Amino acid sequence: MSDTVWIGIARASRLRQRRRAPMHEMKIVNEVTPTDPAQLAGFAEPGPDGPIYMVNLLKFKEHAEYEDGRETDLTGAAAYGLYGAGVVPLVVEHGGRLVFSGVVSWLMLGQADDLWDQVAVVEYPNRAALVAMSMSTAYAEIAPHRTAGLAGQLNIETTGLFVPA
């Protein structure tokens, strides 16, 4: 075989090896409230300029469990639904909007031991608006439904690279 053919075979072999490179594994911990002091401190910082988009990956309890011990027949999803019905007007009141909410139906790419139940994307004018909403009396009144319904969630703050009109 010519040197050109061997070089081509070597390049193809390197490409195949790159494609078979080990996957990057991420440790994921669902939480209902932040437990990492750095996350708590970061929440109080100004954040990026302009709007933020909070990606919420939601996992519900089978049955709602209220911290005050009240009896309920609600599922976790139903309790969270009460929270959702109350929080959307608060988001709007603080200059934000619900961009998307949907049920997780299938994991197309990647691997997970379990899937989240729902995904929601909420736009806020800035992090300060999110903090102000979260600290309001109205939010405190509906928050028990959130904690009763959630087994855990990931809240991922993002900024827009491309936002359709």
Side-chain angles (χ1 to χ4, degrees):
M1 282 192 214
S2 72
D3 289 341
T4 306
V5 172
W6 280 113
I7 291 170
I9 291 171
R11 283 186 185 148
S13 176
R14 281 195 305 272
L15 284 174
R16 278 194 302 277
Q17 287 173 350
R18 275 190 229 141
R19 285 188 204 130
R20 283 188 261 148
M23 294 183 299
H24 176 74
E25 292 189 19
M26 296 172 56
K27 179 182 176 190
I28 296 173
V29 178
N30 278 329
E31 294 184 322
V32 176
T33 56
T35 57
D36 180 353
Q39 284 179 326
L40 289 169
F43 190 58
E45 293 177 5
D49 290 334
I52 61 169
Y53 299 84
M54 294 302 293
V55 178
N56 298 267
L57 303 177
L58 308 166
K59 186 68 178 170
F60 301 123
K61 295 175 185 171
E62 183 89 15
H63 301 285
E65 298 171 7
Y66 284 90
E67 291 177 347
D68 62 9
R70 74 180 88 165
E71 293 293 321
T72 184
D73 292 331
L74 293 174
T75 65
Y80 191 86
L82 295 173
Y83 164 78
V87 80
V88 170
L90 289 178
V91 168
V92 171
E93 183 180 313
H94 287 84
R97 68 186 177 104
L98 176 64
V99 175
F100 172 82
S101 179
V103 174
V104 174
S105 58
W106 183 52
L107 179 63
M108 181 170 170
L109 183 64
Q111 299 175 20
D113 292 337
D114 198 7
L115 293 180
W116 291 273
D117 298 312
Q118 285 185 0
V119 175
V121 178
V122 181
E123 176 186 12
Y124 295 91
N126 50 46
R127 189 183 297 162
L130 168 61
V131 171
M133 182 196 75
S134 301
M135 304 301 273
S136 71
T137 303
Y139 184 86
E141 291 172 3
I142 60 171
H145 300 299
R146 178 185 171 278
T147 55
L150 279 178
Q153 81 177 95
L154 295 182
N155 258 4
I156 305 167
E157 178 185 284
T158 66
T159 56
L161 293 176
F162 170 75
V163 180

